[in-house]
Every structure is written in structure tokens, then in C-alpha cells.
């Protein structure tokens, strides 16, 4: 009978250690997620470069919104030197 009591104590201690480890790991994952969300909310400036000329787009996007489609949409709204022409780029 005493062996059963000792085994139960060991199982209880191991369960507590495992629960502590799991809680700590959950906190780490939660902090990483919070850091990633903050990173995705930062504003990004898009700069077009052709040779030595650079042009900064007049709008800032959140990092999460910075997709090819968003950039292409913004570029399509830029005024062109020739009236009626639209921006286009070969893929």
C-alpha cells in the first residue's frame, strides 16, 4: 500500500511540473503573438526607385496590408505625365 501512495505522490509532482512547463510555454507563445501583431500594425512607406531617382508614395500602409495587389492599386492611382494613361507593369 505504501508503494501506491509513493507512486501517487510522484505522479502528482510530475503533473505539477508539467503544468508549470505548459503554462510557461503558453505565456511565451502569447508574447510572441502580441509582438507579431504589433509588428504587423507598424506603418510602412513604399519607395519606388528607378536608377538613381526615388519617389516615395504619398500613402503609408500597415505591414499586414502590404501585398502586391495593394501596391499595384496604389500605383494605378498615381497621376501619369500623359493624360489618360495608366500604370502597367509586366508580371
Amino acid at each position: 500500500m505504501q508503494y501506491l501512495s509513493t507512486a501517487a505522490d510522484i505522479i502528482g509532482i510530475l503533473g505539477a511540473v508539467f503544468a508549470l512547463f505548459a503554462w510557461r510555454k503558453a505565456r511565451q507563445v502569447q508574447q510572441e503573438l502580441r509582438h507579431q501583431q504589433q509588428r504587423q500594425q507598424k506603418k510602412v512607406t513604399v519607395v519606388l526607385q528607378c536608377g538613381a531617382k526615388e519617389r516615395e508614395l504619398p500613402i503609408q500602409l500597415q505591414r499586414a496590408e502590404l501585398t502586391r495587389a495593394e501596391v499595384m492599386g496604389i500605383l494605378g492611382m498615381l497621376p501619369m505625365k500623359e493624360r489618360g494613361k495608366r500604370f502597367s507593369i509586366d508580371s
Side-chain angles (χ1 to χ4, degrees):
M1 278 303 210
Q2 188 172 355
Y3 297 116
L4 188 59
S5 175
T6 305
D9 290 342
I10 292 172
I11 291 172
I13 291 170
L14 290 176
V17 169
F18 178 75
L20 183 63
F21 175 75
W23 173 79
R24 182 173 175 175
K25 193 66 175 170
R27 294 276 298 171
Q28 286 176 343
V29 169
Q30 190 178 37
Q31 287 175 348
E32 289 174 12
L33 179 62
R34 190 177 312 118
H35 174 72
Q36 194 69 358
Q37 287 173 340
Q38 289 172 348
R39 184 175 170 267
Q40 291 292 334
Q41 291 176 353
K42 286 185 179 178
K43 295 288 185 176
V44 175
T45 302
V46 179
V47 178
L48 303 177
Q49 181 178 357
C50 180
K53 295 190 321 184
E54 288 186 355
R55 182 172 178 184
E56 186 175 313
L57 294 183
I59 190 168
Q60 288 187 338
L61 299 170
Q62 286 185 356
R63 185 176 295 274
E65 296 171 341
L66 190 62
T67 62
R68 182 178 188 273
E70 286 288 334
V71 172
M72 294 297 285
I74 292 169
L75 291 176
M77 293 187 301
L78 290 176
M80 302 295 285
K81 288 182 181 178
E82 295 180 36
R83 212 145 163 88
K85 287 235 174 178
R86 303 289 289 169
F87 168 81
S88 67
I89 189 169
D90 294 333
S91 54

